[in-house]
C-alpha cells in the first residue's frame, strides 16, 4: 500500500514538475517574443477586455485540468481497489477449493464408515450364528461326554457283574 502511494506521489510530482517546466518555458517565450501586432493600437478598455477573456479561458482550462486530475486520481483509486478485490476473490476461490477438497475427503471417509458399519453388522450376525453353532456343538459334546461316562460306568458295572457271575459259577 505504501509503495503504491509512493508511486502515485512520484507520478504526481513528475506531472507537476513537467507542468512547471512548461509554464516556465511559456513565460520565457513570452518574455523573448515581441508583443503581438496590433496591441499598440488597442485602447486600454479593449486590452482589458482581451486580457479578461484570456484570463477566463485560462481559468476554464485550469478548472478542466483540475477536473481531469481528479478523475485520473479517482480512476487510479478504482483500479487499485479493483486489484485488491481481485486478490480477495483469488483468496476466496483458493479457500473455496480447499474447502471442497476437505468436504470431498470427509464424504469419502463417511462412505467408508458406512461400509465399516455394514461390515460390522454382518460380522455380528455371523458371530451370533457361530455362537449358536458352538452352543449346539458344546451341548452335543457334553451329551457325548455324559454318554461316554455312562458307557464307562456300564462297562465297569458289566465287568463287576461278570466277575460276580464268574465267582458264582466257580
Amino acid at each position: 500500500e505504501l509503495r503504491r502511494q509512493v508511486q502515485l506521489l512520484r507520478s504526481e510530482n513528475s506531472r507537476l514538475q513537467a507542468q512547471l517546466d512548461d509554464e516556465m518555458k511559456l513565460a520565457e517565450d513570452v518574455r523573448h517574443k515581441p508583443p503581438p501586432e496590433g496591441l499598440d493600437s488597442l485602447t486600454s478598455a479593449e486590452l482589458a477586455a482581451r486580457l479578461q477573456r484570456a484570463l477566463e479561458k485560462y481559468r476554464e482550462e485550469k478548472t478542466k485540468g483540475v477536473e481531469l486530475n481528479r478523475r485520473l486520481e479517482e480512476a487510479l483509486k478504482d483500479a487499485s481497489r479493483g486489484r485488491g478485490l481481485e486478490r480477495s476473490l483469488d483468496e476466496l476461490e483458493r479457500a473455496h477449493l480447499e474447502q471442497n477438497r476437505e468436504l470431498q475427503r470427509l464424504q469419502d471417509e463417511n462412505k467408508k464408515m458406512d461400509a465399516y458399519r455394514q461390515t460390522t453388522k454382518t460380522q455380528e450376525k455371523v458371530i451370533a450364528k457361530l455362537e449358536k453353532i458352538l452352543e449346539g456343538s458344546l451341548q452335543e459334546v457334553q451329551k457325548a461326554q455324559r454318554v461316554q461316562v455312562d458307557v464307562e460306568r456300564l462297562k465297569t458295572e458289566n465287568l463287576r457283574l461278570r466277575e460276580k457271575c464268574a465267582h458264582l459259577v466257580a
Side-chain angles (χ1 to χ4, degrees):
E1 184 65 28
L2 288 176
R3 289 181 184 173
R4 184 183 61 78
Q5 288 178 351
V6 167
Q7 187 179 12
L8 285 174
L9 290 173
R10 283 183 180 161
S11 66
E12 185 177 352
N13 193 16
S14 297
R15 182 187 55 78
L16 290 173
Q17 185 64 42
Q19 184 180 352
L20 180 62
D21 291 345
D22 288 343
E23 287 178 9
M24 290 186 72
K25 184 178 176 187
L26 180 62
E28 190 67 30
D29 287 347
V30 168
R31 276 190 225 123
H32 288 60
K33 284 185 179 179
E37 290 181 27
L39 283 183
D40 295 341
S41 62
L42 295 176
T43 64
S44 58
E46 290 173 332
L47 193 55
R50 277 193 170 185
L51 183 58
Q52 185 64 36
R53 273 190 306 232
L55 276 173
E56 287 173 5
K57 286 184 180 182
Y58 171 75
R59 287 180 182 147
E60 287 174 8
E61 289 300 317
K62 188 172 182 179
T63 303
K64 286 180 186 177
V66 168
E67 177 62 19
L68 286 175
N69 281 337
R70 186 193 61 76
R71 288 174 54 194
L72 176 63
E73 287 176 13
E74 198 173 295
L76 288 173
K77 286 179 185 177
D78 287 345
S80 175
R81 193 176 312 118
R83 285 190 297 273
L85 290 173
E86 187 176 356
R87 281 192 301 272
S88 296
L89 178 63
D90 288 343
E91 290 172 11
L92 284 174
E93 285 176 346
R94 280 193 295 276
H96 180 70
L97 288 174
E98 182 60 34
Q99 288 174 349
N100 279 344
R101 282 192 288 273
E102 181 64 15
L103 178 63
Q104 184 64 41
R105 185 190 68 77
L106 291 173
Q107 287 174 342
D108 292 344
E109 190 174 305
N110 196 26
K111 287 178 186 176
K112 289 178 185 177
M113 292 299 290
D114 288 341
Y116 294 154
R117 284 187 190 104
Q118 188 61 37
T119 302
T120 302
K121 286 180 184 179
T122 304
Q123 288 175 346
E124 287 173 351
K125 289 178 184 177
V126 168
I127 289 170
K129 287 180 183 178
L130 287 174
E131 284 175 345
K132 286 181 184 177
I133 291 171
L134 281 174
E135 284 176 12
S137 295
L138 181 61
Q139 288 173 357
E140 287 179 21
V141 167
Q142 288 173 345
K143 186 177 178 183
Q145 286 175 344
R146 282 193 303 269
V147 168
Q148 183 68 31
V149 168
D150 286 345
V151 166
E152 288 299 319
R153 187 180 46 80
L154 288 174
K155 280 184 181 178
T156 306
E157 181 71 23
N158 191 355
L159 184 60
R160 188 183 59 78
L161 289 175
R162 282 186 184 187
E163 286 176 0
K164 202 178 195 183
C165 281
H167 240 266
L168 287 174
V169 174

